[in-house]
Amino acid sequence: MKRETTPDTCPAAPALRAIAGRWKTHIIYLLGEEGPVRFNAIQRRLAPVSPKVLTSRLRELAKDDLVWREQEETIPPKVTYGLTDLGREVHEVLKSFDAVGRKFDSVAPEEKS
Amino acid sequence: MKRETTPDTCPAAPALRAIAGRWKTHIIYLLGEEGPVRFNAIQRRLAPVSPKVLTSRLRELAKDDLVWREQEETIPPKVTYGLTDLGREVHEVLKSFDAVGRKFDSVAPEEKS
DNA sequence: CGGGATCCGCACGGATACTG
DNA sequence: CAGTATCCGTGCGGATCCCG
């Protein structure tokens, strides 16, 4: 098995890897700000994410115990996702990124030739 | 050009993308904890990162104004990297991830059959 | 010493179509 | 409604060698 052998320089690395990627932070934010949300609602809010990718990310977040999944086997089915306690913690920390985050919008402006 | 059209659900997304990847957070941590460091020192501390990758990440961080680069055109050359003010801010926020970060070490335990 | 050049593998992400 | 299945493009990260 490909051990990552990542240096211990940054203790936050595992947590950051767990929320890395194009959609995960948006998912956490959405669930954190608006409480439990159903699959289709998430997909619409995070458009243009594809169902495959969204499912994949939600499963990963669930595996890392950041979100929970509640399924009603009705017809039509109804699946709801929400933040766990750990997920809520992450959401809080994420919010502390907002202030510094805004400063990035003005940086790295396309170098056009 | 492939516009990202990412939803505005998570304001922290740009900042997080700027520090995403396997090495960037480690770089920020290293520079933040130990002040300006020379290239070779960084590479040794973050082993087994390759020089190409390290250079690439450092350049990206510099472009995003998280680190600065100081080059002395001596022989042998001497290049030193350090955190900018913005980089230091990010380092601080990163540290707030440590507490919650530790909880991830115990999660996602190998599914062994 | 601090890179650049080149080649490569893989995981993430995307598009489209189909299903219980 | 909430996914799966399939195919594919791209970019990150890695390995190795070479250069000013």
Side-chain angles (χ1 to χ4, degrees):
Chain A
M1 178 145 189
K2 190 69 150 57
R3 211 27 70 191
E4 286 240 349
T5 64
T6 311
D8 57 342
T9 318
C10 172
L16 286 161
R17 296 222 104 188
I19 61 166
R22 183 167 173 188
W23 302 111
K24 289 187 179 175
T25 59
H26 293 281
I27 294 171
I28 292 172
Y29 244 83
L30 179 58
L31 299 184
E33 304 283 331
E34 311 190 10
V37 186
R38 294 181 55 181
F39 186 89
N40 252 341
I42 301 178
Q43 194 188 344
R44 261 190 297 273
R45 292 293 306 275
L46 301 193
V49 65
S50 76
K52 187 200 94 169
V53 171
L54 181 55
T55 302
S56 180
R57 300 309 143 233
L58 284 168
R59 293 269 205 277
E60 290 170 14
L61 289 172
K63 200 183 59 141
D64 286 334
D65 197 40
L66 290 173
V67 312
W68 47 258
R69 195 184 105 107
E70 190 188 60
Q71 181 171 9
E72 290 181 52
E73 280 287 8
T74 59
I75 295 193
K78 182 175 172 180
V79 181
T80 311
Y81 293 90
L83 287 190
T84 62
D85 279 354
L86 185 53
R88 240 177 292 276
E89 286 187 60
V90 171
H91 178 218
E92 290 305 313
V93 183
L94 237 38
K95 286 200 280 189
S96 67
F97 248 110
D98 288 8
V100 55
R102 287 181 221 297
K103 305 181 182 179
F104 282 85
D105 298 334
S106 48
V107 187
E110 284 298 299
E111 293 287 346
K112 316 226 74 155
S113 53
Chain B
M1 177 138 184
K2 193 66 150 51
R3 210 32 64 193
E4 284 239 349
T5 64
T6 312
D8 57 342
T9 317
C10 172
L16 287 160
R17 296 221 104 189
I19 62 167
R22 182 167 173 188
W23 302 110
K24 290 187 178 175
T25 59
H26 294 281
I27 294 171
I28 293 171
Y29 243 84
L30 178 59
L31 300 183
E33 304 282 332
E34 311 189 11
V37 187
R38 294 181 55 181
F39 186 89
N40 254 337
I42 301 178
Q43 193 187 346
R44 261 190 296 274
R45 292 294 305 274
L46 301 193
V49 65
S50 76
K52 186 202 95 170
V53 170
L54 182 56
T55 302
S56 179
R57 301 307 145 233
L58 283 168
R59 292 269 204 277
E60 291 171 12
L61 289 172
K63 200 181 61 139
D64 286 334
D65 196 40
L66 290 172
V67 312
W68 47 260
R69 195 185 105 106
E70 191 188 60
Q71 181 172 9
E72 288 182 55
E73 281 289 4
T74 59
I75 294 191
K78 180 175 173 181
V79 182
T80 311
Y81 293 90
L83 287 189
T84 62
D85 280 352
L86 185 52
R88 239 176 292 278
E89 287 188 59
V90 171
H91 178 217
E92 289 305 312
V93 183
L94 237 39
K95 286 199 280 189
S96 68
F97 246 111
D98 288 8
V100 54
R102 288 181 220 296
K103 305 183 181 178
F104 282 85
D105 298 334
S106 47
V107 187
E110 288 293 304
E111 292 288 344
K112 322 221 74 158
S113 51

